[in-house]
Amino acid sequence: MAETQAVATTEPLRPEETGPLPAVVAYIHHGQVPGGAPTSLRILVEEIGRQAPRTERRIWCVFSPMMPYFAQIEGAQVDKYIETPVLTGKKLIGWSPLFQASALGLLLRQLMAARATIAREVAWLRRHRPDIVHLNSATLWTSAIAARRAGIPLVWHVRETLHGRAWNPRKHLYGSFLRRTADAVIAISPQDAASLGSDREGKVNVVYNAVNLDRFAPERHDGQAARKSHGIPDDAFVILSLGGFSYRKGAWQLIRALKALPDRFHLVVAGDHLPRQPIRPTMPMRLRWRLENLAVRIGWRATQTWRYPERVKAECAGVESRLHQVGHVDDVAPLIAACDALVFAGTIPHFARPVYEAWAMEKPVVAFDTPVMRSEIANGEDGLLVPRDAPEALAAAFTFIAQNPSRAREFGKHGRVKALGRFDSGANVRAVLNIYRKLMTDLSAKAEVATAASRDLPKRP
């Protein structure tokens, strides 16, 4: 099996990594709300503006609500892009259940419209003609096809682990499709790269997400001020979760853990709010939830998903005063400064930007023990790993950190050392620019070969 090619993100540029940079790079973003993927793209585009000021940066948003977020990047052009079948992409990579009654209608409409969508994307790309198309998610499958048809070099930035068991045919087929359509693939961790399958084409590069280490310097933010602004008691032990109340972020397990902890423990959740109205679960709903819990325990399902917002809302009874919903925030650094521990309860394995931002601010972290987190967190050294779907283990981990402040400080200090070594934006963006250089060099070489071949053709009499 071919090994995944890894880009060293901390080495200086070697002579062979110099070469022409693209004049125009178009970045296509898929999401609707702030989160890890848009934050990573924003840092990338900002740093490219500093390291390669002659390269024009265009950001095309599938959904217009994200345009103001990217418009803050100095010198970048931001436009509304064609709406692509993002839901279908989520199902293809395993980040959304394949068969889900509530989304079935939209899924069918997206699939039926895919051919027309690709045609519109091809026309858009040929009209704007960037030197490189850079996709910011594995879900953008129609955009990949369109870039190939338009004859534009494609960089596919995979920010999600392709989800599924080793024998999952959907995972293998999509990983093969992704590698074959791209001219270069950027995976944000070795585990994400491995989920793409065997890299026979030699296209996969590992480049960690960059973190703005200056913005997340521990001395820059006043945690007490952030606590007061959200009505959190000064003596509370604050647990922070970034990512809202999604099943992918383990919100139900977090609420269950909070209920098992004493009153001084408070949970702050940034991201999507829970439903505002009270939830009164019926007996059939409770029975369905219990059956789903059983299916997760015996391994028939990866995690709970059915009527998830209602499930979490119902679980919140009795802990509302200790649960703080702060909604979507543009700058999470003050919240991290205000917390005593950051938690990443990822039920679907994926790379966790909040963990590295917390490390940069010397905060201890707790995460579910998934392959991705196991490769990043040294359990008992720079954080704690707990079994997935185990609220009691989460509660025990928070209790340990609260009762052992010296160990908690050690976790944070060791984590900052790791953040400084892996997630420096300057070094990581240099690695991305080297990928661009290689593509432009290869494209130039192909053009020279084609020109030479045309000269050698016999002339017609």
Side-chain angles (χ1 to χ4, degrees):
M1 179 179 293
E3 295 182 358
T4 297
Q5 178 185 358
V7 171
T9 60
T10 56
E11 295 181 0
L13 295 182
R14 297 191 295 270
E16 64 270 26
E17 293 175 332
T18 61
L21 283 169
V24 180
V25 180
Y27 301 88
I28 302 179
H29 179 67
H30 61 295
Q32 302 186 60
V33 297
T39 300
S40 297
L41 179 59
R42 183 168 160 177
I43 293 173
L44 172 65
V45 174
E46 286 175 338
E47 185 63 29
I48 285 176
R50 286 186 281 270
Q51 294 195 30
R54 294 184 180 180
T55 295
E56 183 179 322
R57 299 153 296 150
R58 301 175 185 172
I59 302 175
W60 296 338
C61 298
V62 173
F63 298 104
S64 55
M66 286 305 299
M67 292 174 64
Y69 177 83
F70 291 115
Q72 300 174 40
I73 302 174
E74 184 177 353
Q77 297 181 20
V78 181
D79 290 300
K80 172 70 172 68
Y81 188 59
I82 296 159
E83 291 200 10
T84 65
V86 173
L87 173 65
T88 307
K90 288 181 178 180
K91 292 183 179 296
L92 289 172
I93 68 173
W95 276 51
S96 180
L98 186 59
F99 301 106
Q100 189 177 30
S102 60
L104 184 59
L106 177 58
L107 174 65
L108 291 175
R109 289 195 299 273
Q110 287 189 351
L111 289 173
M112 292 174 64
R115 185 174 179 180
T117 300
I118 293 169
R120 288 196 298 273
E121 290 189 77
V122 170
W124 173 284
L125 293 174
R126 286 175 175 166
R127 183 167 67 253
H128 293 275
R129 204 66 196 180
D131 295 299
I132 288 175
V133 170
H134 186 130
L135 304 182
N136 199 42
S137 169
T139 62
L140 293 167
W141 63 281
T142 59
S143 303
I145 295 172
R148 298 296 293 181
R149 292 185 179 177
I152 300 173
L154 173 65
V155 174
W156 205 330
H157 212 140
V158 179
R159 301 191 183 278
E160 308 91 346
T161 301
L162 298 192
H163 184 57
R165 294 177 176 86
W167 48 264
N168 188 315
R170 178 174 33 147
K171 171 181 170 181
H172 284 290
L173 288 172
Y174 198 77
S176 177
F177 163 77
L178 193 150
R179 297 192 318 271
R180 291 178 183 277
T181 52
D183 292 282
V185 179
I186 299 174
I188 60 175
S189 77
Q191 289 66 41
D192 288 344
S195 78
L196 302 176
S198 178
D199 183 25
R200 299 180 183 90
E201 302 86 0
K203 296 179 179 179
V204 180
N205 307 267
V206 176
V207 182
Y208 284 98
N209 276 334
V211 174
N212 188 325
L213 297 174
D214 291 334
R215 182 181 297 172
F216 288 92
E219 67 276 2
R220 289 194 61 178
H221 302 278
D222 183 0
Q224 289 302 117
R227 287 186 177 219
K228 289 180 181 178
S229 68
H230 295 294
I232 303 170
D234 291 341
D235 61 347
F237 184 93
V238 177
I239 304 161
L240 174 63
S241 174
L242 302 176
F245 291 90
S246 163
Y247 72 88
R248 287 188 289 269
K249 307 299 182 181
W252 178 72
Q253 289 89 338
L254 289 175
I255 301 299
R256 298 266 297 194
L258 182 65
K259 295 178 81 168
L261 290 165
D263 289 347
R264 69 177 289 246
F265 287 82
H266 286 237
L267 175 63
V268 177
V269 180
D272 291 332
H273 280 278
L274 285 171
R276 303 288 184 182
Q277 69 277 13
I279 299 294
R280 295 180 178 85
T282 63
M283 185 62 68
M285 288 174 65
R286 292 187 183 278
L287 178 60
R288 174 73 180 267
W289 285 337
R290 289 173 182 170
L291 290 174
E292 192 175 44
N293 290 345
L294 176 62
V296 170
R297 280 199 299 273
I298 64 180
W300 286 0
R301 291 180 64 89
T303 188
Q304 297 88 345
T305 59
W306 187 77
R307 300 288 293 270
Y308 196 79
E310 291 87 351
R311 171 194 277 268
V312 177
K313 181 73 174 181
E315 197 66 46
C316 289
V319 294
E320 293 92 341
S321 63
R322 297 192 286 136
L323 175 62
H324 306 268
Q325 303 181 58
V326 300
H328 293 286
V329 294
D330 198 15
D331 184 7
V332 299
L335 289 177
I336 297 176
C339 79
D340 294 289
L342 181 134
V343 61
F344 183 76
T347 57
I348 291 181
H350 61 292
F351 213 58
R353 165 171 286 278
V355 168
Y356 319 119
E357 292 171 340
W359 274 344
M361 298 188 72
E362 296 186 1
K363 295 291 183 176
V365 299
V366 177
F368 278 162
D369 187 4
T370 63
V372 176
M373 289 294 94
R374 199 178 307 133
S375 69
E376 299 302 318
I377 296 175
N379 189 30
E381 181 178 327
D382 48 36
L384 295 175
L385 296 171
V386 300
R388 191 167 62 176
D389 292 313
E392 65 282 358
L394 275 175
F398 299 139
T399 301
F400 177 86
I401 289 175
Q403 293 177 348
N404 297 273
S406 61
R407 288 290 303 279
R409 286 192 293 272
E410 288 179 10
F411 290 168
K413 290 184 182 298
H414 291 158
R416 180 161 174 82
V417 171
K418 190 175 287 185
L420 292 173
R422 287 188 180 176
F423 309 114
D424 175 70
S425 60
N428 291 15
V429 170
R430 281 197 296 274
V432 174
L433 289 174
N434 288 336
I435 294 169
Y436 292 171
R437 286 186 173 94
K438 184 179 185 303
L439 291 184
M440 297 307 296
T441 300
D442 291 347
L443 190 64
S444 178
K446 289 178 183 177
E448 290 179 4
V449 170
T451 301
S454 65
R455 291 198 195 103
D456 293 339
L457 288 175
K459 295 181 180 180
R460 291 184 179 179

